[in-house]
Amino acid sequence: MTIHPFSKLSDYVSKFCGDTPPDFQKVDIQNDANFVFENDPSFNSVQLFDIEGNSVFVNSFLECQHYVLGGWDYVPFQRHESDYHMFLLYFSLIIVFTGYIYSNNIIRNLFK
């Protein structure tokens, strides 16, 4: 388990999974290879990521808590539309500047 920057693990789990349900009972499933998580209809599905970029959807608070404490606590880098606008702007400026220099060189060579 990684060292979490939050003061308590419950705060860390609530960051990814939401608030702990009032009727929640923690179950020790560390050594149970045959444990099956039950779907909780009152829990909104959450997508978690690991450090390698793999993702999983969890359907209960218990499942979410288990995955978060097991290392599925990575927040992937997300590109925003403004990133693409900036790329288009820079690319356009480079093309215009290069075209200007190239056209000036051609015009100068014609009149020599």
Side-chain angles (χ1 to χ4, degrees):
M1 182 187 310
T2 59
I3 298 173
H4 302 297
F6 294 96
S7 59
K8 297 188 303 184
L9 287 178
S10 62
D11 293 341
Y12 193 71
V13 169
S14 67
K15 176 185 175 203
F16 290 96
C17 304
D19 294 330
T20 305
D23 59 343
F24 177 71
Q25 296 177 358
K26 183 165 173 50
V27 179
D28 184 27
I29 54 176
Q30 296 293 335
N31 297 324
D32 188 0
N34 297 321
F35 187 84
V36 177
F37 292 103
E38 292 183 21
N39 187 17
D40 182 3
S42 64
F43 183 81
N44 290 332
S45 196
V46 175
Q47 185 177 17
L48 300 173
F49 296 90
D50 68 357
I51 194 71
E52 296 174 351
N54 300 315
S55 67
V56 64
F57 283 95
V58 293
N59 296 309
S60 70
F61 186 82
L62 177 63
E63 184 178 13
C64 187
Q65 179 187 46
H66 177 72
Y67 273 89
V68 168
L69 295 178
W72 289 76
D73 55 358
Y74 180 72
V75 178
F77 176 73
Q78 296 178 350
R79 292 196 180 271
H80 299 286
E81 188 175 350
S82 63
D83 295 339
Y84 296 110
H85 290 176
M86 293 304 291
F87 173 76
L88 181 61
L89 173 70
Y90 292 140
F91 183 73
S92 300
L93 289 174
I94 289 170
I95 294 298
V96 167
F97 183 72
T98 305
Y100 175 75
I101 296 216
Y102 183 71
S103 65
N104 276 347
N105 286 339
I106 290 176
I107 292 172
R108 285 186 193 157
N109 290 336
L110 289 175
F111 292 110
K112 279 188 176 183

